[in-house]
Amino acid sequence: MGLQLNSNEIAALLPHRFPFALVDRITDGEPGVWAKGRKCVSVGEPVFCGHFPQEHVMPGVLLIEAMAQVGAVAILSLPEYAGKIVYFGGIRKARFRGKVTPGDVVELECRLIQRRGPIGVGAATAKVDGQIVADAELTFAIGE
């Protein structure tokens, strides 16, 4: 096992806070290369008040954000990027392949496939019960 972080350790790396901290745990990874994480979806999350009240479904944009947060942990866990922030630069090839609902445990993975200076690309997936529910290529920029 490589990189492992609990929610407090993730909060030390990422600026996101409730309700936008979307990764509960980092379960494995290699700093600067890849990370795996977990999001436990709860009906008590504020988003389900409006998406959708009659059928709770986690918005795809939040799945993308959760995958990006796992990728940000992978890059920010490198000592040279301590205290930095990772910003979205773009989203390509995003596909939503299944619903995520309360009670699901979403397994997130982001592998950094390209990096030039402060700009990079990550290949990300989100799975529930071993089935891909979303995937995308995420471009990022490391800021101050």
Side-chain angles (χ1 to χ4, degrees):
M1 286 284 177
L3 188 63
Q4 294 188 24
L5 304 172
N6 65 34
S7 59
N8 294 313
E9 293 164 324
I10 295 167
L13 291 175
L14 301 182
H16 306 83
R17 298 296 180 262
F18 178 84
F20 226 68
L22 299 176
V23 180
D24 297 317
R25 183 173 303 273
I26 295 296
T27 57
D28 202 358
E30 181 180 342
V33 180
W34 62 279
K36 288 184 179 182
R38 181 177 299 144
K39 162 75 175 148
C40 300
V41 181
S42 169
V43 72
E45 295 177 46
V47 69
F48 294 123
C49 294
H51 199 273
F52 300 103
Q54 70 280 10
E55 182 183 354
H56 299 142
V57 177
M58 186 172 177
V61 68
L62 294 183
L63 286 173
I64 296 286
E65 176 63 28
M67 292 186 290
Q69 288 181 20
V70 168
V73 167
I75 196 74
L76 294 176
S77 59
L78 288 169
E80 62 263 34
Y81 295 121
K84 304 284 186 183
I85 294 178
V86 176
Y87 297 102
F88 258 126
I91 303 167
R92 293 183 36 170
K93 301 180 185 176
R95 299 285 183 266
F96 302 101
R97 304 172 189 278
K99 290 193 302 187
V100 176
T101 60
D104 286 340
V105 175
V106 184
E107 299 293 336
L108 305 154
E109 182 173 0
C110 188
R111 181 168 298 277
L112 305 175
I113 58 174
Q114 182 179 7
R115 198 170 78 180
R116 286 196 187 127
I119 308 296
V121 177
T125 59
K127 296 179 181 179
V128 173
D129 295 328
Q131 299 296 310
I132 295 175
V133 293
D135 54 10
E137 280 187 8
L138 309 174
T139 303
F140 63 87
I142 302 166
E144 297 298 318

